[in-house]
Amino acid sequence: MRNRLKELRARDGYNQTQLAKKAGISRQTISLIERNDFMPSILTAVKIARIFNENVESIFIFEEEEL
């Protein structure tokens, strides 16, 4: 799975700490997600999607072989 989290943060002017506070998770978790070292729970993915006013699927992109 790849994601557009860093791109969306830059677009909306959030640093990792700000996004983490809005999502109710740690800054370290944001960093891990951005590096594709951690897959967020569905709840966390939905929270992040709502912050950016995007669909979950437009932020977290699964490769065909992963499905």
Side-chain angles (χ1 to χ4, degrees):
M1 177 183 80
R2 61 185 182 87
N3 68 74
R4 299 175 48 229
L5 200 53
K6 189 171 184 176
E7 167 195 337
L8 294 171
R9 273 195 317 101
R11 179 193 78 185
D12 291 3
Y14 293 121
N15 64 34
Q16 288 183 341
T17 301
Q18 292 166 326
L19 178 57
K21 281 186 179 184
K22 287 184 81 71
I25 57 179
S26 71
R27 187 211 53 81
Q28 290 84 358
T29 299
I30 295 292
S31 177
L32 289 169
I33 293 170
E34 286 184 359
R35 293 191 328 251
N36 295 314
D37 289 339
F38 179 76
M39 187 179 304
S41 69
I42 292 173
L43 179 60
T44 298
V46 169
K47 285 180 181 180
I48 290 170
R50 286 185 177 174
I51 291 166
F52 292 115
N53 198 28
E54 298 269 347
N55 293 322
V56 172
E57 298 87 359
S58 72
I59 300 174
F60 301 97
I61 300 109
F62 290 93
E63 305 299 331
E64 189 60 35
E65 61 272 4
E66 295 175 314
L67 299 176

